[in-house]
Every structure is written in C-alpha cells, then in structure tokens.
Amino acid sequence: MAQFSSELDGVLAALADPTRRAVVRRLGGGPMSVGDLAREFPMTLPSFMKHVRTLEANGLVRTVKSGRVRTCELRRGRLALVDDWLAEQRRVWEARTDRLERLVTDPKEERR
Amino acid sequence: MAQFSSELDGVLAALADPTRRAVVRRLGGGPMSVGDLAREFPMTLPSFMKHVRTLEANGLVRTVKSGRVRTCELRRGRLALVDDWLAEQRRVWEARTDRLERLVTDPKEERR
DNA sequence: CGAAAACTGTGCCATGAGGCTAAGCATGCT
DNA sequence: AGCATGCTTAGCCTCATGGCACAGTTTTCG
C-alpha cells in the first residue's frame, strides 16, 4: 500500500471496498472468527484474508489467534478519524458562510 | 474505475487520496478555477485534472467551463453519504451493546 | 497416530490508479 | 493577426489491488 501520507488515507481506502465495509458492519455485532466471516463472502479464503489484513493494518480491526482460529474484533475508535475529518470540513464550510453572512449584513467588512 | 457496487465505494475511494481531500477542503472556502487549485499541488496539470475528474465523477464536486476557465465547486451534500454510513455503523454497534445490557440485567433474555 | 479443520504462504495474473511528457485546441489580449 | 493562457487529449510507464490456485502448517479430535 505504498505508505500513507496520513492514517486517514489508509482508513478511507480500507473502507472504500464493499467487502471490507461489510466486515466492519458484521463485526459491529461482536467478534467473529475469520472462517465464520469468510463464509458469508463469495471468494476464497486467501482472498478474504487479505481484506482482513488490510482492515487490521489500518487499525479498523484487531485479531488474535487462539489455537487454529483467528478471531476478529472491531476497533470502533478508528472510525472517529473519518468523523473528525468530516467535522473539519463542516467547520471550513461554516467559516465561509459566516464570511458571506458578514458580507451581506455589513459589506465593507470584506478583506481578501 | 470498474463500476462501484454502491456510490459509497466511489466516494470513499475518491476521499482516500490526500490531494483530493485537500481539494475538497480548499473548495470548502468557495469555488475556484482548476488552474488556481492546481497551482497549490506539486504535480502537472493533466495529473491534477484527473483528480478533479474523479471528484466530479463521484459527485463531490461540480465543474463548469466558462470561456477557457473551468471552475470547481464543492457539492457538500455528497459527504452526507459518508456520514450516513458512519451513523449506521453506530446503530449496529448500539444494538449490540443494548443486547449486552439486557443480558446483564436479565440473563434469561438471551436467544441465539 | 492419522485425518480433518482453519488458517497461512507463495506465486501468478488482470486491471486500474496516479504520474509524466508532448501535442493539441479554444479563448482572450494587444 | 499573432501570441499567451488555460485547459484537453493521447500515449506511456510503474506499482498496487483484488482475485485465483495450490501447497503448506498448526491444532484438534477420534
């Protein structure tokens, strides 16, 4: 995956895949083994495992192996990164509408 | 871009790139021409244009050409798709904690 | 012990993303 | 008209992604 300029890159890229989003959703209901998860998707286990690894590499999921079973658990906190970015965008946008507001109510306020 | 199983795929993929996120952020402050935007990024115009097209293809930006200048404008509403998905995740997770709650307060409630 | 279960590792392939250069328009300015 | 500006198009390159098959490895169970 090259290397991300920010963690958000990886998190968003990880979520930009329907299989991986489905896994996140499924794990929202509680931990599950790789095998149980995989059974719900139309692809081979090795292919599926790559998705799990991607999610793990980007901190969206934690996995532990006990015996021959690897269990996956959602790391909800990670989604906050996305939330935060969205919130920032909203702030940027609001700062702008504020400027427009001021411009309308008091035209000479404009600068730059 | 193959074809996305859901619009979210495309939107998230589009946002999973620092250049494109920066463009979105920049446009949060108001519309700008492709040229003005491009000047802020260390890449050639054709490369940059691809990013703009990607954003446009996924509905995050609207562009109009007037004369020889193409102006880009943010389509804020599109980010709601991401918001909605996050909200759904939260719902899934909360449904689960509710089940756990009930289990603790009234153990015989458990089913499946 | 021997076989089944549940991953894991390796290697291969096709596609697409993100960059670049080099031309090629269309528009605007003088 | 002639030149500069501002995108566009085309073609090419490299690397990452998402799949696959097939061959291990480690546990677990009878």
Side-chain angles (χ1 to χ4, degrees), chain A residues 22-53:
Chain A
V23 170
V24 167
R25 192 173 196 289
R26 202 75 179 65
L27 290 179
M32 250 197 269
S33 78
V34 167
D36 285 352
L37 274 172
R39 229 161 281 124
E40 305 181 8
F41 299 90
M43 70 181 70
T44 60
L45 224 219
S47 300
F48 183 76
M49 266 302 291
K50 274 210 229 178
H51 288 299
V52 173
R53 293 296 188 192

Side-chain angles (χ1 to χ4, degrees), chain A residues 4-6 8-10 12-18 20-22 24-31 73-74 76 79-80 82-83 85-86 88-94 96 99 112, chain B residues 4-6 8-10 12-18 20-22 24-31 73-74 76 79-80 82-83 85-86 88-94 96 99 112:
Chain A
F4 295 117
S5 67
S6 98
L8 236 200
D9 283 40
L12 288 172
L15 294 177
D17 179 291
R20 288 189 299 251
R21 264 190 336 269
V24 167
R25 192 173 196 289
R26 202 75 179 65
L27 290 179
E73 185 181 357
L74 184 59
R76 277 171 60 249
L79 293 177
V82 181
D83 246 333
W85 186 78
L86 286 172
E88 196 207 324
Q89 287 326 111
R90 239 169 269 124
R91 275 209 315 287
V92 170
W93 194 83
E94 267 146 29
R96 177 217 171 176
R99 279 205 311 284
R112 62 158 284 151
Chain B
F4 295 117
S5 67
S6 98
L8 236 199
D9 284 41
L12 289 171
L15 295 177
D17 178 290
R20 286 186 303 250
R21 265 191 334 270
V24 167
R25 193 173 195 291
R26 203 73 180 68
L27 290 179
E73 187 182 353
L74 184 60
R76 279 171 60 247
L79 293 177
V82 182
D83 245 334
W85 185 78
L86 286 171
E88 195 206 326
Q89 287 325 111
R90 238 169 270 126
R91 275 208 315 286
V92 170
W93 194 84
E94 266 146 31
R96 175 216 172 177
R99 278 204 311 283
R112 64 160 281 149

Side-chain angles (χ1 to χ4, degrees), chain B residues 48-111:
Chain B
F48 182 76
M49 265 302 291
K50 276 211 226 177
H51 288 299
V52 173
R53 293 298 188 189
T54 300
L55 288 168
E56 191 172 21
N58 290 294
L60 289 160
V61 151
R62 182 189 308 118
T63 81
V64 268
K65 186 152 188 178
S66 128
R68 54 186 172 175
V69 177
R70 179 174 294 277
T71 304
C72 308
E73 187 182 353
L74 184 60
R75 294 186 59 190
R76 279 171 60 247
R78 214 51 181 165
L79 293 177
L81 272 174
V82 182
D83 245 334
D84 292 350
W85 185 78
L86 286 171
E88 195 206 326
Q89 287 325 111
R90 238 169 270 126
R91 275 208 315 286
V92 170
W93 194 84
E94 266 146 31
R96 175 216 172 177
T97 47
D98 285 355
R99 278 204 311 283
L100 289 177
E101 276 291 288
R102 245 177 289 127
L103 184 60
V104 170
T105 54
D106 176 12
K108 70 153 67 91
E109 163 83 53
E110 188 65 341
R111 180 79 32 201

